[in-house]
Structures are given as structure tokens and as C-alpha cells.
Amino acid sequence: MNKMSKIVMLGVLVCLVVLAGCEKKVQLTFVNTTDQPVNLQLSSPDMGTEMLGTLPPTGGKLKHDLKIAEDELPATCTWRAGELSGQFTVNKKSPDKLWVDIAPEGGRVRDKKTSVSESHKSEQKRVVGQDTVVE
């Protein structure tokens, strides 16, 4: 191999390394806290709008790996789950993992450092049989 071939190969290798690191990757976990299943879609600059699937009710989860080209950052992404929707921004400093909680009152985006405390109120009705007593 002559000197020129080595320089060309080195240039190609440098280009491949640079191109490989040109996207921000974020693992999204959508969590449905509503009592109804919802159809989930996500809109991002790189992928446009894509249907991610149906999210089961009451704690159902769906994971999605989001990749955004560095030249698109900061990027605003929008999600829609049934009648509910929200958005979040991904930038170079965004955590590698984000959770999107879908709740009846809307949505919230959090990372692993975010503490969540929720309470749910449920009512249970009991029917008690009554008999008429005649004396």
C-alpha cells in the first residue's frame, strides 16, 4: 500500500467515525395511567409522524428508541394518545432515557431522577341483599 492509499483510507475512517456520532439517541417509555387503551403516535423531525401501537390501560408501557440527527437539535417531538397529546424537546444534553406519563389530565415527561407520587381513588359498591321479615 502506498502513502496516498493510506491517507485516503484514514480519511474514510475519520468520516465514518464522525457520521456515526451525528445523532442523539433517546429511549422513550410511554406509560398509560388512564383506564382506557389508547392508540399512540409520535411526531419527530427525522421520522415524521409514526404510529407506535396501542398502549394498554392502567400502567401499560410501550418503549420506543428515538434517533434525531444532531443538525436537527434542539428538536420538538409531539405525541398523541387518543384525545390526549403533549410535546417535549430533545437537545444534546437530554437524558438517554425519558418516560412519558399519559394521564387523564394530560401528560408529563420525566427522567430517572424525577420522583413521582400519585394516588388513585376508586369506589367499590356492594349490594347487600335485604329480606322482609314479617312477625
Short mmCIF file of all heavy atoms in Angstrom, two decimals, residues 63-123:
data_model
loop_
_atom_site.label_atom_id
_atom_site.label_comp_id
_atom_site.label_asym_id
_atom_site.label_seq_id
_atom_site.Cartn_x
_atom_site.Cartn_y
_atom_site.Cartn_z
N LYS A 63 -42.15 0.93 24.74
CA LYS A 63 -40.83 1.55 24.57
C LYS A 63 -40.58 1.86 23.11
O LYS A 63 -41.03 1.13 22.23
CB LYS A 63 -39.73 0.64 25.11
CG LYS A 63 -39.78 0.50 26.60
CD LYS A 63 -38.58 -0.22 27.14
CE LYS A 63 -38.75 -0.31 28.65
NZ LYS A 63 -37.52 -0.43 29.33
N HIS A 64 -39.84 2.95 22.90
CA HIS A 64 -39.50 3.36 21.53
C HIS A 64 -38.13 4.03 21.55
O HIS A 64 -37.88 4.90 22.38
CB HIS A 64 -40.55 4.34 21.00
CG HIS A 64 -40.24 4.86 19.63
ND1 HIS A 64 -40.37 4.09 18.50
CD2 HIS A 64 -39.79 6.07 19.22
CE1 HIS A 64 -40.01 4.80 17.44
NE2 HIS A 64 -39.67 6.00 17.85
N ASP A 65 -37.26 3.62 20.63
CA ASP A 65 -35.94 4.25 20.51
C ASP A 65 -36.03 5.39 19.51
O ASP A 65 -36.31 5.17 18.32
CB ASP A 65 -34.89 3.23 20.07
CG ASP A 65 -34.63 2.19 21.15
OD1 ASP A 65 -34.70 2.55 22.33
OD2 ASP A 65 -34.35 1.03 20.80
N LEU A 66 -35.79 6.59 19.99
CA LEU A 66 -35.87 7.80 19.17
C LEU A 66 -34.46 8.21 18.76
O LEU A 66 -33.56 8.24 19.60
CB LEU A 66 -36.54 8.92 19.98
CG LEU A 66 -36.70 10.27 19.32
CD1 LEU A 66 -37.64 10.17 18.13
CD2 LEU A 66 -37.24 11.28 20.32
N LYS A 67 -34.27 8.47 17.49
CA LYS A 67 -32.98 8.93 16.99
C LYS A 67 -33.20 10.22 16.22
O LYS A 67 -34.05 10.27 15.32
CB LYS A 67 -32.35 7.88 16.08
CG LYS A 67 -32.02 6.59 16.79
CD LYS A 67 -31.52 5.54 15.83
CE LYS A 67 -31.34 4.22 16.55
NZ LYS A 67 -30.98 3.16 15.62
N ILE A 68 -32.43 11.24 16.57
CA ILE A 68 -32.56 12.54 15.91
C ILE A 68 -31.18 13.00 15.48
O ILE A 68 -30.24 12.99 16.28
CB ILE A 68 -33.21 13.58 16.84
CG1 ILE A 68 -34.61 13.11 17.24
CG2 ILE A 68 -33.26 14.94 16.18
CD1 ILE A 68 -35.30 14.00 18.23
N ALA A 69 -31.05 13.42 14.23
CA ALA A 69 -29.77 13.91 13.72
C ALA A 69 -29.35 15.15 14.51
O ALA A 69 -30.17 15.98 14.86
CB ALA A 69 -29.90 14.24 12.23
N GLU A 70 -28.06 15.24 14.80
CA GLU A 70 -27.54 16.35 15.61
C GLU A 70 -27.84 17.71 14.96
O GLU A 70 -28.06 18.68 15.67
CB GLU A 70 -26.04 16.19 15.84
CG GLU A 70 -25.71 15.01 16.70
CD GLU A 70 -24.98 15.36 17.97
OE1 GLU A 70 -24.58 16.52 18.14
OE2 GLU A 70 -24.82 14.46 18.79
N ASP A 71 -27.88 17.76 13.64
CA ASP A 71 -28.16 19.04 13.00
C ASP A 71 -29.63 19.44 13.11
O ASP A 71 -30.00 20.56 12.77
CB ASP A 71 -27.69 19.05 11.54
CG ASP A 71 -28.37 18.00 10.68
OD1 ASP A 71 -29.00 17.09 11.24
OD2 ASP A 71 -28.27 18.10 9.45
N GLU A 72 -30.49 18.54 13.62
CA GLU A 72 -31.91 18.84 13.86
C GLU A 72 -32.17 19.31 15.30
O GLU A 72 -33.30 19.65 15.64
CB GLU A 72 -32.78 17.60 13.60
CG GLU A 72 -32.77 17.12 12.17
CD GLU A 72 -33.68 17.94 11.28
OE1 GLU A 72 -34.58 18.62 11.78
OE2 GLU A 72 -33.48 17.88 10.06
N LEU A 73 -31.14 19.26 16.16
CA LEU A 73 -31.30 19.63 17.57
C LEU A 73 -31.21 21.13 17.78
O LEU A 73 -30.45 21.78 17.09
CB LEU A 73 -30.24 18.92 18.42
CG LEU A 73 -30.29 17.40 18.40
CD1 LEU A 73 -29.12 16.83 19.19
CD2 LEU A 73 -31.60 16.87 18.95
N PRO A 74 -31.95 21.68 18.71
CA PRO A 74 -32.98 21.03 19.53
C PRO A 74 -34.20 20.70 18.68
O PRO A 74 -34.56 21.43 17.77
CB PRO A 74 -33.32 22.06 20.60
CG PRO A 74 -32.98 23.38 19.99
CD PRO A 74 -31.83 23.11 19.03
N ALA A 75 -34.82 19.57 19.01
CA ALA A 75 -35.96 19.07 18.24
C ALA A 75 -37.18 18.94 19.14
O ALA A 75 -37.11 18.39 20.23
CB ALA A 75 -35.63 17.72 17.63
N THR A 76 -38.30 19.45 18.67
CA THR A 76 -39.55 19.32 19.39
C THR A 76 -40.28 18.10 18.85
O THR A 76 -40.49 17.97 17.65
CB THR A 76 -40.43 20.58 19.22
OG1 THR A 76 -39.70 21.70 19.73
CG2 THR A 76 -41.75 20.43 19.96
N CYS A 77 -40.63 17.20 19.76
CA CYS A 77 -41.36 15.99 19.40
C CYS A 77 -42.76 16.07 20.00
O CYS A 77 -42.94 16.59 21.11
CB CYS A 77 -40.65 14.75 19.94
SG CYS A 77 -38.98 14.57 19.29
N THR A 78 -43.74 15.58 19.29
CA THR A 78 -45.13 15.63 19.74
C THR A 78 -45.70 14.22 19.78
O THR A 78 -45.47 13.44 18.85
CB THR A 78 -45.98 16.48 18.76
OG1 THR A 78 -45.37 17.76 18.63
CG2 THR A 78 -47.39 16.65 19.27
N TRP A 79 -46.41 13.89 20.86
CA TRP A 79 -47.07 12.60 20.96
C TRP A 79 -48.58 12.80 21.06
O TRP A 79 -49.05 13.85 21.49
CB TRP A 79 -46.56 11.79 22.16
CG TRP A 79 -46.74 12.48 23.48
CD1 TRP A 79 -45.82 13.26 24.12
CD2 TRP A 79 -47.89 12.46 24.33
NE1 TRP A 79 -46.34 13.72 25.31
CE2 TRP A 79 -47.61 13.25 25.46
CE3 TRP A 79 -49.15 11.86 24.23
CZ2 TRP A 79 -48.53 13.46 26.49
CZ3 TRP A 79 -50.06 12.06 25.25
CH2 TRP A 79 -49.75 12.85 26.37
N ARG A 80 -49.31 11.81 20.61
CA ARG A 80 -50.77 11.81 20.71
C ARG A 80 -51.20 10.42 21.14
O ARG A 80 -50.78 9.43 20.56
CB ARG A 80 -51.42 12.18 19.39
CG ARG A 80 -52.96 12.09 19.44
CD ARG A 80 -53.63 12.69 18.25
NE ARG A 80 -53.55 14.14 18.19
CZ ARG A 80 -54.22 14.99 18.99
NH1 ARG A 80 -54.99 14.52 19.92
NH2 ARG A 80 -54.10 16.27 18.85
N ALA A 81 -52.02 10.38 22.19
CA ALA A 81 -52.55 9.13 22.71
C ALA A 81 -54.06 9.31 22.85
O ALA A 81 -54.53 9.90 23.81
CB ALA A 81 -51.92 8.78 24.05
N GLY A 82 -54.79 8.83 21.84
CA GLY A 82 -56.24 9.06 21.84
C GLY A 82 -56.52 10.55 21.75
O GLY A 82 -56.03 11.23 20.86
N GLU A 83 -57.28 11.08 22.71
CA GLU A 83 -57.62 12.50 22.74
C GLU A 83 -56.55 13.34 23.44
O GLU A 83 -56.60 14.56 23.40
CB GLU A 83 -58.97 12.70 23.45
CG GLU A 83 -60.14 12.03 22.74
CD GLU A 83 -60.39 12.62 21.36
OE1 GLU A 83 -60.34 13.86 21.21
OE2 GLU A 83 -60.61 11.83 20.43
N LEU A 84 -55.59 12.69 24.09
CA LEU A 84 -54.55 13.38 24.85
C LEU A 84 -53.33 13.60 23.97
O LEU A 84 -53.03 12.80 23.09
CB LEU A 84 -54.17 12.57 26.09
CG LEU A 84 -55.31 12.25 27.04
CD1 LEU A 84 -54.85 11.24 28.09
CD2 LEU A 84 -55.82 13.51 27.71
N SER A 85 -52.61 14.69 24.22
CA SER A 85 -51.38 14.96 23.47
C SER A 85 -50.44 15.81 24.30
O SER A 85 -50.83 16.40 25.32
CB SER A 85 -51.70 15.66 22.15
OG SER A 85 -52.26 16.93 22.39
N GLY A 86 -49.21 15.86 23.87
CA GLY A 86 -48.20 16.66 24.55
C GLY A 86 -46.96 16.74 23.68
O GLY A 86 -46.90 16.17 22.59
N GLN A 87 -45.98 17.46 24.19
CA GLN A 87 -44.73 17.58 23.45
C GLN A 87 -43.56 17.70 24.41
O GLN A 87 -43.74 17.99 25.59
CB GLN A 87 -44.77 18.76 22.48
CG GLN A 87 -44.87 20.11 23.14
CD GLN A 87 -44.94 21.22 22.10
OE1 GLN A 87 -45.32 21.00 20.95
NE2 GLN A 87 -44.59 22.42 22.50
N PHE A 88 -42.36 17.44 23.88
CA PHE A 88 -41.14 17.58 24.64
C PHE A 88 -40.03 17.93 23.66
O PHE A 88 -40.16 17.74 22.45
CB PHE A 88 -40.81 16.30 25.42
CG PHE A 88 -40.70 15.07 24.56
CD1 PHE A 88 -39.48 14.66 24.05
CD2 PHE A 88 -41.83 14.32 24.24
CE1 PHE A 88 -39.38 13.54 23.26
CE2 PHE A 88 -41.74 13.19 23.45
CZ PHE A 88 -40.51 12.80 22.96
N THR A 89 -38.95 18.48 24.20
CA THR A 89 -37.83 18.90 23.37
C THR A 89 -36.62 18.03 23.68
O THR A 89 -36.32 17.77 24.84
CB THR A 89 -37.48 20.37 23.62
OG1 THR A 89 -38.65 21.16 23.33
CG2 THR A 89 -36.34 20.84 22.75
N VAL A 90 -35.94 17.59 22.63
CA VAL A 90 -34.71 16.82 22.78
C VAL A 90 -33.57 17.72 22.32
O VAL A 90 -33.63 18.32 21.25
CB VAL A 90 -34.75 15.53 21.93
CG1 VAL A 90 -33.42 14.80 21.99
CG2 VAL A 90 -35.89 14.63 22.36
N ASN A 91 -32.54 17.83 23.18
CA ASN A 91 -31.34 18.57 22.82
C ASN A 91 -30.12 17.71 23.13
O ASN A 91 -30.26 16.56 23.56
CB ASN A 91 -31.29 19.93 23.51
CG ASN A 91 -31.35 19.82 25.02
OD1 ASN A 91 -30.68 18.97 25.61
ND2 ASN A 91 -32.15 20.65 25.65
N LYS A 92 -28.93 18.24 22.94
CA LYS A 92 -27.71 17.47 23.14
C LYS A 92 -27.57 16.98 24.57
O LYS A 92 -26.99 15.94 24.83
CB LYS A 92 -26.48 18.29 22.76
CG LYS A 92 -26.35 18.53 21.27
CD LYS A 92 -25.13 19.34 20.95
CE LYS A 92 -25.05 19.59 19.45
NZ LYS A 92 -23.86 20.36 19.08
N LYS A 93 -28.11 17.73 25.53
CA LYS A 93 -27.96 17.38 26.95
C LYS A 93 -29.14 16.58 27.50
O LYS A 93 -29.18 16.27 28.68
CB LYS A 93 -27.78 18.66 27.77
CG LYS A 93 -26.49 19.38 27.46
CD LYS A 93 -26.31 20.59 28.33
CE LYS A 93 -25.01 21.30 27.99
NZ LYS A 93 -24.78 22.45 28.86
N SER A 94 -30.10 16.23 26.66
CA SER A 94 -31.24 15.44 27.12
C SER A 94 -30.76 14.09 27.65
O SER A 94 -29.81 13.51 27.12
CB SER A 94 -32.23 15.20 25.97
OG SER A 94 -32.84 16.39 25.58
N PRO A 95 -31.43 13.58 28.70
CA PRO A 95 -31.07 12.25 29.20
C PRO A 95 -31.27 11.19 28.12
O PRO A 95 -32.06 11.36 27.19
CB PRO A 95 -32.06 12.02 30.35
CG PRO A 95 -32.59 13.36 30.70
CD PRO A 95 -32.51 14.19 29.46
N ASP A 96 -30.56 10.07 28.26
CA ASP A 96 -30.66 8.98 27.29
C ASP A 96 -31.95 8.19 27.44
O ASP A 96 -32.31 7.42 26.56
CB ASP A 96 -29.47 8.03 27.43
CG ASP A 96 -28.16 8.70 27.02
OD1 ASP A 96 -28.21 9.69 26.27
OD2 ASP A 96 -27.10 8.21 27.45
N LYS A 97 -32.64 8.36 28.58
CA LYS A 97 -33.92 7.68 28.81
C LYS A 97 -34.92 8.69 29.35
O LYS A 97 -34.64 9.42 30.29
CB LYS A 97 -33.76 6.54 29.82
CG LYS A 97 -32.91 5.40 29.31
CD LYS A 97 -32.86 4.26 30.31
CE LYS A 97 -32.03 3.11 29.75
NZ LYS A 97 -32.05 1.95 30.63
N LEU A 98 -36.10 8.69 28.74
CA LEU A 98 -37.20 9.56 29.18
C LEU A 98 -38.47 8.73 29.30
O LEU A 98 -38.68 7.80 28.52
CB LEU A 98 -37.44 10.70 28.19
CG LEU A 98 -36.38 11.79 28.09
CD1 LEU A 98 -36.72 12.76 26.96
CD2 LEU A 98 -36.25 12.55 29.41
N TRP A 99 -39.32 9.10 30.26
CA TRP A 99 -40.63 8.47 30.42
C TRP A 99 -41.69 9.51 30.14
O TRP A 99 -41.58 10.66 30.58
CB TRP A 99 -40.79 7.95 31.85
CG TRP A 99 -40.00 6.71 32.12
CD1 TRP A 99 -40.47 5.44 32.09
CD2 TRP A 99 -38.61 6.61 32.45
NE1 TRP A 99 -39.45 4.55 32.38
CE2 TRP A 99 -38.30 5.25 32.61
CE3 TRP A 99 -37.59 7.56 32.61
CZ2 TRP A 99 -37.04 4.80 32.93
CZ3 TRP A 99 -36.32 7.12 32.93
CH2 TRP A 99 -36.05 5.75 33.09
N VAL A 100 -42.71 9.13 29.40
CA VAL A 100 -43.84 9.99 29.11
C VAL A 100 -45.05 9.36 29.79
O VAL A 100 -45.50 8.29 29.39
CB VAL A 100 -44.09 10.15 27.59
CG1 VAL A 100 -45.29 11.05 27.35
CG2 VAL A 100 -42.85 10.68 26.90
N ASP A 101 -45.53 10.01 30.84
CA ASP A 101 -46.71 9.52 31.56
C ASP A 101 -47.95 10.12 30.93
O ASP A 101 -48.08 11.34 30.84
CB ASP A 101 -46.64 9.92 33.04
CG ASP A 101 -45.46 9.28 33.75
OD1 ASP A 101 -45.13 8.13 33.42
OD2 ASP A 101 -44.86 9.92 34.63
N ILE A 102 -48.86 9.27 30.50
CA ILE A 102 -50.11 9.70 29.89
C ILE A 102 -51.20 9.54 30.94
O ILE A 102 -51.48 8.43 31.38
CB ILE A 102 -50.42 8.88 28.64
CG1 ILE A 102 -49.28 9.07 27.63
CG2 ILE A 102 -51.76 9.28 28.04
CD1 ILE A 102 -49.28 8.08 26.51
N ALA A 103 -51.75 10.67 31.38
CA ALA A 103 -52.74 10.68 32.45
C ALA A 103 -54.02 11.36 31.96
O ALA A 103 -53.99 12.10 30.98
CB ALA A 103 -52.18 11.42 33.66
N PRO A 104 -55.15 11.12 32.67
CA PRO A 104 -56.41 11.74 32.24
C PRO A 104 -56.34 13.27 32.14
O PRO A 104 -56.98 13.86 31.29
CB PRO A 104 -57.40 11.32 33.33
CG PRO A 104 -56.83 10.07 33.89
CD PRO A 104 -55.34 10.22 33.81
N GLU A 105 -55.51 13.88 32.98
CA GLU A 105 -55.41 15.34 32.95
C GLU A 105 -54.34 15.85 31.99
O GLU A 105 -54.08 17.04 31.91
CB GLU A 105 -55.15 15.88 34.37
CG GLU A 105 -53.86 15.42 35.00
CD GLU A 105 -53.95 14.07 35.69
OE1 GLU A 105 -55.02 13.45 35.74
OE2 GLU A 105 -52.90 13.61 36.16
N GLY A 106 -53.70 14.96 31.26
CA GLY A 106 -52.68 15.36 30.29
C GLY A 106 -51.47 14.46 30.39
O GLY A 106 -51.59 13.30 30.75
N GLY A 107 -50.31 14.98 30.09
CA GLY A 107 -49.10 14.17 30.12
C GLY A 107 -47.96 14.88 30.80
O GLY A 107 -47.99 16.09 31.02
N ARG A 108 -46.95 14.09 31.14
CA ARG A 108 -45.76 14.65 31.79
C ARG A 108 -44.57 13.85 31.30
O ARG A 108 -44.64 12.64 31.15
CB ARG A 108 -45.95 14.58 33.30
CG ARG A 108 -44.78 14.16 34.09
CD ARG A 108 -45.05 14.03 35.57
NE ARG A 108 -45.54 12.68 35.83
CZ ARG A 108 -46.51 12.39 36.67
NH1 ARG A 108 -47.13 13.32 37.33
NH2 ARG A 108 -46.88 11.15 36.86
N VAL A 109 -43.45 14.55 31.05
CA VAL A 109 -42.21 13.91 30.64
C VAL A 109 -41.26 13.97 31.83
O VAL A 109 -41.13 15.00 32.47
CB VAL A 109 -41.59 14.61 29.41
CG1 VAL A 109 -40.28 13.96 29.02
CG2 VAL A 109 -42.56 14.57 28.24
N ARG A 110 -40.62 12.84 32.11
CA ARG A 110 -39.70 12.79 33.25
C ARG A 110 -38.49 11.95 32.91
O ARG A 110 -38.49 11.19 31.94
CB ARG A 110 -40.41 12.24 34.48
CG ARG A 110 -40.97 10.85 34.30
CD ARG A 110 -41.78 10.40 35.51
NE ARG A 110 -42.52 9.19 35.23
CZ ARG A 110 -42.06 7.95 35.43
NH1 ARG A 110 -40.86 7.77 35.92
NH2 ARG A 110 -42.80 6.91 35.14
N ASP A 111 -37.45 12.10 33.72
CA ASP A 111 -36.27 11.25 33.58
C ASP A 111 -36.15 10.38 34.82
O ASP A 111 -37.02 10.39 35.69
CB ASP A 111 -35.01 12.08 33.34
CG ASP A 111 -34.69 13.02 34.48
OD1 ASP A 111 -35.25 12.88 35.59
OD2 ASP A 111 -33.84 13.92 34.28
N LYS A 112 -35.07 9.61 34.94
CA LYS A 112 -34.96 8.67 36.04
C LYS A 112 -34.74 9.36 37.39
O LYS A 112 -34.94 8.76 38.43
CB LYS A 112 -33.84 7.65 35.79
CG LYS A 112 -32.45 8.24 35.76
CD LYS A 112 -31.44 7.16 35.48
CE LYS A 112 -30.04 7.76 35.37
NZ LYS A 112 -29.06 6.74 35.04
N LYS A 113 -34.39 10.63 37.39
CA LYS A 113 -34.19 11.37 38.63
C LYS A 113 -35.49 11.96 39.17
O LYS A 113 -35.54 12.44 40.29
CB LYS A 113 -33.18 12.49 38.41
CG LYS A 113 -31.80 12.01 38.04
CD LYS A 113 -30.88 13.16 37.77
CE LYS A 113 -29.53 12.67 37.27
NZ LYS A 113 -28.65 13.78 36.92
N THR A 114 -36.55 11.94 38.37
CA THR A 114 -37.82 12.54 38.76
C THR A 114 -38.59 11.58 39.66
O THR A 114 -38.79 10.42 39.31
CB THR A 114 -38.67 12.87 37.53
OG1 THR A 114 -37.90 13.69 36.65
CG2 THR A 114 -39.94 13.61 37.91
N SER A 115 -39.02 12.07 40.79
CA SER A 115 -39.82 11.27 41.71
C SER A 115 -41.30 11.53 41.42
O SER A 115 -41.72 12.67 41.25
CB SER A 115 -39.49 11.67 43.15
OG SER A 115 -40.37 11.07 44.05
N VAL A 116 -42.08 10.46 41.37
CA VAL A 116 -43.50 10.58 41.08
C VAL A 116 -44.28 9.97 42.23
O VAL A 116 -44.02 8.85 42.65
CB VAL A 116 -43.87 9.87 39.77
CG1 VAL A 116 -45.36 9.92 39.52
CG2 VAL A 116 -43.12 10.46 38.61
N SER A 117 -45.23 10.73 42.73
CA SER A 117 -46.11 10.24 43.79
C SER A 117 -47.54 10.50 43.36
O SER A 117 -47.92 11.64 43.14
CB SER A 117 -45.81 10.96 45.10
OG SER A 117 -46.72 10.55 46.09
N GLU A 118 -48.30 9.43 43.21
CA GLU A 118 -49.68 9.57 42.76
C GLU A 118 -50.59 8.76 43.66
O GLU A 118 -50.18 7.77 44.25
CB GLU A 118 -49.84 9.07 41.33
CG GLU A 118 -49.16 9.91 40.30
CD GLU A 118 -49.42 9.41 38.89
OE1 GLU A 118 -49.99 8.32 38.73
OE2 GLU A 118 -49.04 10.11 37.96
N SER A 119 -51.81 9.20 43.73
CA SER A 119 -52.81 8.41 44.44
C SER A 119 -54.02 8.27 43.52
O SER A 119 -54.33 9.18 42.75
CB SER A 119 -53.21 9.07 45.76
OG SER A 119 -53.80 10.33 45.51
N HIS A 120 -54.64 7.14 43.60
CA HIS A 120 -55.81 6.88 42.77
C HIS A 120 -56.98 6.58 43.70
O HIS A 120 -56.85 5.83 44.66
CB HIS A 120 -55.58 5.69 41.83
CG HIS A 120 -54.52 5.95 40.82
ND1 HIS A 120 -54.74 6.68 39.69
CD2 HIS A 120 -53.22 5.60 40.78
CE1 HIS A 120 -53.63 6.76 38.99
NE2 HIS A 120 -52.69 6.11 39.64
N LYS A 121 -58.10 7.16 43.40
CA LYS A 121 -59.30 6.94 44.19
C LYS A 121 -60.22 6.03 43.41
O LYS A 121 -60.50 6.28 42.24
CB LYS A 121 -59.98 8.28 44.46
CG LYS A 121 -61.20 8.18 45.32
CD LYS A 121 -61.79 9.56 45.55
CE LYS A 121 -63.03 9.47 46.39
NZ LYS A 121 -63.63 10.78 46.60
N SER A 122 -60.64 4.97 44.05
CA SER A 122 -61.59 4.09 43.38
C SER A 122 -62.74 3.81 44.34
O SER A 122 -62.58 3.81 45.56
CB SER A 122 -60.92 2.78 42.96
OG SER A 122 -60.51 2.06 44.09
N GLU A 123 -63.89 3.64 43.77
CA GLU A 123 -65.08 3.35 44.57
C GLU A 123 -65.54 1.94 44.29
O GLU A 123 -65.53 1.49 43.16
CB GLU A 123 -66.21 4.33 44.20
CG GLU A 123 -65.95 5.74 44.62
CD GLU A 123 -67.14 6.65 44.30
OE1 GLU A 123 -68.26 6.13 44.12
OE2 GLU A 123 -66.93 7.85 44.22
#
